[in-house]
Amino acid sequence: MKLQISSGDRQILLEAAAASPQAEVCGLLLGQNRDGAGRVESLVPARNVAADPARSFEIDPATLLATHRAARGQGRQVIGHWHSHPNGRTAPSTRDAARATENGQIWLIIAGGEVTAWAPHATGPGPATFQPIAIEVA
């Protein structure tokens, strides 16, 4: 699988992570995701409402619901979400794996000045595994 993202959106993600070095930032991805190819068309920042935002993220439910409603009304698709790792690790964490489901959603992780993309795979009970997705910056 390959994911296209604009250089402008990539820069927005990097700046959001840099502006919050002590806490994870997060948001949603709108775009297209089909036939092994995805394209990010816009980013929706969200408030991180996790109990411990320095170590995990939880997208504000109001933003989550409003974004899904708006996307449906516009014929658009929420294709995944993004979050940062202040610890600098670009791979999904054990916390990420414990929360992930195989639902076709893309996980973007911003860390250490990089943006990485991942697809979760659930192999039964227990944590998910993640496969990397190649990113093409347009």
Side-chain angles (χ1 to χ4, degrees), residues 23-44:
E24 294 191 16
V25 293
C26 59
L28 297 163
L29 304 167
L30 293 175
Q32 297 179 21
N33 186 14
R34 58 171 95 80
D35 300 328
R39 185 174 75 228
V40 175
E41 295 173 347
S42 62
L43 306 170
V44 179

Side-chain angles (χ1 to χ4, degrees), residues 76-102:
R76 298 178 75 192
Q77 182 182 15
V78 176
I79 63 168
H81 63 274
W82 53 271
H83 72 282
S84 64
H85 281 176
N87 63 14
R89 295 186 189 122
T90 58
S93 67
T94 54
R95 240 183 213 92
D96 293 338
R99 295 178 46 206
T101 60
E102 188 169 356

